[in-house]
Amino acid sequence: MIFSTITYPIVEIFESLQGEGFNTGMPSIFIRFGKCNLTCSWCDTPYHQFDSWTLPQILEKVEGYQAKNIIITGGEPTIQPNLTVLLDELKRRGYFLAIETNGLKDIPSQIDYIATSPKRLYAEKYQRRCIPFAHEVRIVADENVIAFCEQIEAQINAERYYLSPCEVEGKMNLLETITQIGLLNQRKNKPKWQLSIQTHKIVGIE
């Protein structure tokens, strides 16, 4: 396979701090892919706007940064053809690889850390098939998601479960989100849920 002929739909590649979830604050390089297999009205990623990057272009960009943690995100990274080729090259260079995925498709074996964000609007898809394990689950509280959280608890074994506020036109439904966390955590002998906020937006970084 000639690496220079492989291209990937890239929205952006940048270095920043992880803004949400368990690894908040971790210096990271973000590789954001275009295209997605879901359509969420509140999505804040311009995944339809991307350029074609070759594998050498991606590696050159990544190697210009200092961080050794890479977050593969999107869009939806697991739908990308030749993703494993890129991951092999990144692992060969010693990077720790995390992925942010909606959890509907299998996770490549090169990934070291899985953060999945199942979507309530597509609950029936998750009932049919989803990944069985993640290091963390983050569900956006776009309305009452308690039943969906319980569904995902039964389907995805995770080390940690988070609820995130839904942001629409710059406003977060924070009260509704923490109220639902409280209700989930009143249950006995069930996983505990925590709050995850996109802190990078609050502090004004990418």
Side-chain angles (χ1 to χ4, degrees):
M1 184 177 294
I2 302 174
F3 288 168
S4 61
T5 64
I6 301 174
T7 61
Y8 299 87
I10 299 295
V11 175
E12 57 185 346
I13 299 176
F14 61 96
E15 186 175 31
S16 187
L17 303 178
Q18 170 61 285
E20 56 190 317
F22 181 71
N23 292 316
T24 293
M26 180 181 290
S28 302
I29 300 164
F30 292 78
I31 301 178
R32 187 180 303 284
F33 286 94
K35 303 181 180 181
C36 191
N37 53 347
L38 300 180
T39 304
C40 302
S41 62
W42 42 260
C43 181
D44 59 0
T45 299
Y47 59 85
H48 293 302
Q49 302 170 21
F50 56 83
D51 295 312
S52 292
W53 289 50
T54 65
L55 180 58
Q57 286 175 321
I58 294 173
L59 295 174
E60 180 181 5
K61 182 74 170 179
V62 165
E63 291 181 316
Y65 295 124
Q66 296 297 313
K68 297 302 290 184
N69 176 60
I70 291 180
I71 298 176
I72 306 294
T73 186
E76 176 50 46
T78 62
I79 66 173
Q80 307 301 331
N82 299 310
L83 178 62
T84 58
V85 177
L86 171 61
L87 298 180
D88 281 340
E89 291 302 308
L90 294 172
K91 290 297 285 186
R92 190 171 292 121
R93 288 160 171 78
Y95 289 101
F96 180 89
L97 300 181
I99 194 169
E100 296 184 338
T101 173
N102 58 37
L104 287 173
K105 296 180 68 67
D106 293 338
I107 306 300
S109 60
Q110 299 92 334
I111 295 298
D112 300 299
Y113 190 90
I114 304 167
T116 184
S117 181
K119 305 302 190 290
R120 176 198 58 83
L121 290 169
Y122 297 92
E124 291 184 2
K125 285 183 178 287
Y126 289 94
Q127 287 178 337
R128 292 194 294 270
R129 185 178 188 274
C130 66
I131 60 175
F133 169 79
H135 294 89
E136 64 183 77
V137 166
R138 299 187 216 131
I139 291 178
V140 174
D142 53 348
E143 58 173 56
N144 188 327
V145 294
I146 290 177
F148 183 59
C149 289
E150 292 177 330
Q151 173 189 327
I152 293 301
E153 286 175 347
Q155 293 184 273
I156 303 178
N157 179 30
E159 295 176 357
R160 299 171 184 87
Y161 295 88
Y162 295 93
L163 269 193
S164 299
C166 183
E167 182 179 344
V168 178
E169 296 181 354
K171 296 182 179 179
M172 292 190 299
N173 61 338
L174 192 53
L175 177 58
E176 292 87 346
T177 301
I178 63 173
T179 298
Q180 292 187 67
I181 291 174
L183 293 172
L184 285 165
N185 289 341
Q186 286 179 5
R187 303 170 304 158
K188 294 183 178 180
N189 302 317
K190 296 292 184 179
K192 295 298 183 182
W193 288 73
Q194 302 174 69
L195 176 66
S196 177
I197 296 179
Q198 292 181 313
T199 58
H200 51 286
K201 293 183 178 179
I202 297 173
V203 299
I205 60 176
E206 282 193 273

